[in-house]
């Protein structure tokens, strides 16, 4: 498997001094609703380059066993290495992304996941779910210990099966959640009353707590809707154990300090294709 050391940027990496402002509005959104967004964070042309890299990575992943994992009918998730995405440095040094990470997760936040989720035509409703069980810190201290940043590669419309989220449910804590992730069906009416569908455009970036109850909706269009996923943890959150991100030594040495200090992944001589291991059985089965 060949990977080029891609560090193409729309401009110089941002210095830490540019990202000190506290994102008060985003903090309010995340703790109240469980999701926030920065509209027009990147130009559409930059996002089109991301889409090219995503399509290349998906074709490679589907060519080998365990390269992509199902998240429901006609819906796939693929984890990738930073070097497979030319815009990686741009994304993780964007001032809004850095500010939100620092404010929510602390100054020693850790980038632990890079991948993409793609609902193809024919994708169905997912069951309402969160991405992993609630950590003790969140349950006991009402503290968010991880964030999922999403960047759409298409201008989302209803027919594509938009992401649907139930604001405020990041704090829901019930012993009857299957595997700590899937609420029982008798709770569905509550989530459906709260449900908000999101229609991001190319260039928009969102951040959410992966604990906020959400689901994918049916893609009845004729096109796929790939969404880039960047997972970031507070120190000790433990989500890195679910992922296998790595960088080569040459790539690591070219990364700006602002990236290296938050990227605790292995530095290797040669990249190994990632075998997906974050399978969520309840999503594979679908509704």
């Amino acid at each position: 498997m060949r990977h080029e050391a891609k560090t193409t940027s729309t401009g110089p990496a941002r210095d830490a001094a540019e990202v000190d402002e506290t994102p008060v509005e985003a903090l309010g959104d995340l703790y109240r609703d469980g999701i926030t967004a920065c509209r027009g964070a990147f130009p559409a042309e930059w996002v089109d380059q991301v889409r090219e890299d995503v399509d290349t990575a998906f074709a490679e992943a589907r060519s080998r066993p365990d390269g992509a994992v199902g998240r429901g009918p006609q819906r796939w998730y693929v984890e990738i290495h930073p070097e497979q995405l030319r815009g990686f440095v741009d994304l993780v040094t964007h001032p809004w992304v850095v500010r939100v990470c620092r404010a929510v997760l602390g100054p020693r936040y850790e980038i632990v996941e890079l991948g993409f989720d793609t609902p193809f035509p024919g994708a169905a409703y997912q069951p309402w779910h969160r991405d992993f069980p609630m950590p003790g810190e969140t349950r006991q201290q009402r503290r968010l210990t991880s964030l999922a940043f999403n960047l759409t590669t298409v201008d989302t419309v209803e027919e594509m099966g938009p992401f649907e989220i139930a604001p405020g449910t990041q704090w829901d804590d019930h012993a009857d959640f299957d595997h700590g992730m899937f609420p029982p069906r008798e709770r569905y009416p509550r989530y459906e009353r709260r449900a908000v569908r999101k229609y991001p455009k190319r260039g928009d970036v969102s951040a959410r707590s992966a604990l906020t109850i959400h689901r994918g909706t049916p893609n009845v269009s004729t096109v796929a809707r790939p969404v880039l996923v960047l997972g970031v943890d507070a120190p000790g959150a433990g989500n890195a154990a679910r992922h296998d991100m790595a960088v080569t030594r040459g790539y690591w040495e070219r990364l700006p300090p602002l990236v290296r200090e938050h990227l605790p992944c292995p530095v290797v001589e040669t990249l190994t294709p990632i075998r997906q291991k974050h399978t969520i059985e309840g999503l594979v089965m679908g509704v």
Side-chain angles (χ1 to χ4, degrees), residues 49-177:
Q49 177 180 269
V50 170
R51 176 62 185 269
E52 291 173 5
D53 291 347
V54 163
D55 288 347
T56 298
F58 185 77
E60 188 279 326
R62 290 287 283 154
S63 72
R64 55 185 169 82
D66 300 321
V69 63
R71 291 285 171 85
Q74 296 301 312
R75 193 183 298 267
W76 301 92
Y77 174 79
V78 174
E79 183 179 359
I80 60 176
H81 297 298
E83 285 164 75
Q84 293 177 262
L85 186 72
R86 283 169 286 179
F88 176 74
V89 170
D90 288 333
L91 177 61
V92 301
T93 62
H94 189 281
W96 184 83
V97 172
V98 175
R99 286 196 295 263
V100 170
C101 288
R102 287 180 173 175
V104 177
L105 307 175
R108 296 175 55 243
Y109 67 87
E110 300 175 347
I111 300 165
V112 299
E113 175 189 11
L114 181 67
F116 55 90
D117 184 274
T118 307
F120 285 87
Y125 272 113
Q126 292 179 311
W128 288 106
H129 67 283
R130 56 176 39 133
D131 291 342
F132 44 78
M134 180 179 288
E137 296 93 327
T138 304
R139 178 178 297 107
Q140 297 158 14
Q141 303 171 24
R142 282 295 189 265
R143 185 167 71 89
L144 299 178
T145 62
S146 67
L147 291 172
F149 290 87
N150 292 148
L151 180 138
T152 181
T153 64
V154 298
D155 293 339
T156 309
V157 297
E158 180 68 25
E159 291 77 15
M160 294 177 182
F163 177 80
E164 191 169 54
I165 192 166
T169 56
Q170 69 273 33
W171 311 119
D172 283 16
D173 182 23
H174 302 289
D176 57 359
F177 275 31

Side-chain angles (χ1 to χ4, degrees), residues 2-278:
R2 180 176 180 270
H3 294 286
E4 296 181 2
K6 299 175 179 177
T7 56
T8 302
S9 173
T10 57
R14 284 84 173 182
D15 185 84
E18 296 182 56
V19 292
D20 284 341
E21 182 182 347
T22 300
V24 176
E25 184 176 353
L27 273 172
D29 291 344
L30 284 165
Y31 274 85
R32 182 186 63 251
D33 298 332
I35 189 168
T36 189
C38 179
R39 307 294 181 192
F42 293 100
E45 295 78 14
W46 181 91
V47 180
D48 292 341
Q49 177 180 269
V50 170
R51 176 62 185 269
E52 291 173 5
D53 291 347
V54 163
D55 288 347
T56 298
F58 185 77
E60 188 279 326
R62 290 287 283 154
S63 72
R64 55 185 169 82
D66 300 321
V69 63
R71 291 285 171 85
Q74 296 301 312
R75 193 183 298 267
W76 301 92
Y77 174 79
V78 174
E79 183 179 359
I80 60 176
H81 297 298
E83 285 164 75
Q84 293 177 262
L85 186 72
R86 283 169 286 179
F88 176 74
V89 170
D90 288 333
L91 177 61
V92 301
T93 62
H94 189 281
W96 184 83
V97 172
V98 175
R99 286 196 295 263
V100 170
C101 288
R102 287 180 173 175
V104 177
L105 307 175
R108 296 175 55 243
Y109 67 87
E110 300 175 347
I111 300 165
V112 299
E113 175 189 11
L114 181 67
F116 55 90
D117 184 274
T118 307
F120 285 87
Y125 272 113
Q126 292 179 311
W128 288 106
H129 67 283
R130 56 176 39 133
D131 291 342
F132 44 78
M134 180 179 288
E137 296 93 327
T138 304
R139 178 178 297 107
Q140 297 158 14
Q141 303 171 24
R142 282 295 189 265
R143 185 167 71 89
L144 299 178
T145 62
S146 67
L147 291 172
F149 290 87
N150 292 148
L151 180 138
T152 181
T153 64
V154 298
D155 293 339
T156 309
V157 297
E158 180 68 25
E159 291 77 15
M160 294 177 182
F163 177 80
E164 191 169 54
I165 192 166
T169 56
Q170 69 273 33
W171 311 119
D172 283 16
D173 182 23
H174 302 289
D176 57 359
F177 275 31
D178 191 17
H179 298 289
M181 299 164 58
F182 294 90
R185 291 184 180 275
E186 52 265 31
R187 297 190 193 277
Y188 279 23
R190 174 172 180 262
Y191 302 129
E192 287 161 1
R193 286 193 298 271
R194 289 173 170 256
V196 176
R197 292 191 176 189
K198 298 296 184 178
Y199 303 93
K201 304 297 183 183
R202 287 174 300 156
D204 297 346
V205 178
S206 67
R208 63 183 173 88
S209 166
L211 300 176
T212 313
I213 305 299
H214 61 277
R215 67 179 177 178
T217 64
N219 185 344
V220 297
S221 74
T222 59
V223 298
R225 186 179 63 82
V227 177
L228 193 71
V229 180
L230 178 74
V232 188
D233 272 5
N239 290 305
R242 299 186 176 97
H243 307 289
D244 291 311
M245 187 168 61
V247 296
T248 61
R249 192 168 307 280
Y251 183 82
W252 174 262
E253 291 171 352
R254 292 192 298 275
L255 289 172
L258 182 57
V259 179
R260 287 201 301 265
E261 67 187 23
H262 297 291
L263 193 62
C265 67
V267 179
V268 299
E269 297 303 323
T270 304
L271 292 175
T272 300
I274 296 176
R275 296 175 68 92
Q276 311 300 329
K277 61 183 181 183
H278 190 201

